Amino acid sequence: MIGVNALDYSGYPDCRPEFIHAYETMANLATKAGVEGKTRIKIHTPLIDLTKAGIVKLAAELGVDFSLTHSCYDPDAEGRPCGRCDSCVLRAKGFREAGIEDR
């Protein structure tokens, strides 16, 4: 399971469905169990096609405590999000579009 989202692909090419499928293929070719047909590695990406607002709504439905989360790749020394990086901007937009407060 991985929480990648295709909307992040511009800055993070490993969030694209093409990358996930290629990685699955590689993993099945590069492992003994895969080569011997004993297992098939499948990467589940339940968020990959959702909008950021869709992810926020789903998280709210699941009871996520947003105060325990952030999306920032450059938090300050206390772990608080910067509010300026692409990830922070996309998160804020998702919350706005979902009509949910980011605590």
Side-chain angles (χ1 to χ4, degrees), residues 37-102:
K38 293 181 181 178
T39 191
R40 167 109 176 95
I41 295 170
K42 169 71 178 141
I43 301 170
H44 297 276
T45 57
L47 308 178
I48 201 160
D49 292 322
L50 294 179
T51 64
K52 293 295 184 179
I55 294 169
V56 170
K57 288 177 184 178
L58 176 60
E61 289 170 14
L62 294 172
V64 170
D65 181 349
F66 294 115
S67 70
L68 299 175
T69 71
H70 71 77
S71 303
C72 188
Y73 282 93
D74 191 24
D76 67 16
E78 285 78 42
R80 294 178 299 230
C82 73
R84 296 177 308 277
C85 69
D86 287 346
S87 189
C88 283
V89 170
L90 287 171
R91 177 182 170 115
K93 183 175 184 272
F95 273 90
R96 257 192 328 276
E97 291 176 355
I100 296 174
E101 183 181 348
D102 188 0

Side-chain angles (χ1 to χ4, degrees), residues 6-20:
L7 294 179
D8 292 337
Y9 76 89
S10 63
Y12 312 102
D14 57 342
C15 293
R16 297 172 299 132
E18 298 86 358
F19 176 85
I20 298 298

